Amino acid sequence: MLGGLRVATAADAAQLLAIYAPYVLHTTVTFETQVPTEQAFAGRIAGTLGQFPYLVWESAGEIAGYAYAHRFAERAAYDWTAEASIYLAPAAQGTGVAQCLYGALIELMQAMNYVHLYGVITHPNPRSEAFHKSMGFELTAYFPNVGYKLNRWVDVVHYRLPLCPLPTRPVDTVPFANLPQRLVQRVLTRHSGATIDG
């Protein structure tokens, strides 16, 4: 799929919501049960971008997928750990777009001094679990029957990717908004150049 990576903006909310809404309404991939408004979704994008990357894959003006990072948990001791989320339009699945999005996201999180990146996945989800394994994540936790959606109980698994050797004393993380723009653009360009099928 031809196209490239860029940083999302709040103006992308309508296109991203069109990708996300079917996951909310018809799957257990997300535990959200009501589709947010476009205004609320724009606020989420803007709120994320100060601290974390929020990336889209765009092709001919159409967004085919997006990925972003966010806090893993609220307490201060978790400051070096983040969670990644990714959503694709149906046509983008199996094209390599997910690898490009996650590849760039991982590299940016490393530049921001994060130590761990987690994928939190409803189980079973063979496609997502295989994808995370292919990107170097390892299964670290299993939570049976932890959520209830679409009239059934749903399990959750955690996959972890170490972003660096475990430091004795971690250095402060860098907010995404404070990364040099030239560095961000180099990462996006490099991962946009990855091989895409189709």
Side-chain angles (χ1 to χ4, degrees), residues 31 120-123 142-149 152-158:
F31 275 4
V120 178
I121 307 166
T122 52
H123 176 81
Y142 172 59
F143 301 91
N145 301 316
V146 73
Y148 186 82
K149 185 180 178 183
R152 65 185 180 92
W153 290 101
V154 184
D155 302 344
V156 166
V157 291
H158 285 187

Side-chain angles (χ1 to χ4, degrees), residues 47-67:
T48 298
L49 280 169
Q51 183 65 36
F52 294 104
Y54 204 127
L55 310 178
V56 302
W57 179 275
E58 188 174 51
S59 179
E62 296 292 322
I63 294 174
Y66 65 98

Side-chain angles (χ1 to χ4, degrees), residues 87-135:
Y87 295 94
L88 301 180
Q93 294 180 5
T95 63
V97 165
Q99 286 82 353
C100 294
L101 283 163
Y102 250 35
L105 187 71
I106 289 165
E107 188 170 345
L108 291 170
M109 295 299 289
Q110 290 170 323
M112 293 160 57
N113 299 328
Y114 277 82
V115 176
H116 306 291
L117 187 63
Y118 274 84
V120 178
I121 307 166
T122 52
H123 176 81
N125 186 339
R127 181 191 292 266
S128 183
E129 292 188 55
F131 166 67
H132 280 82
K133 289 176 184 177
S134 76
M135 298 299 296

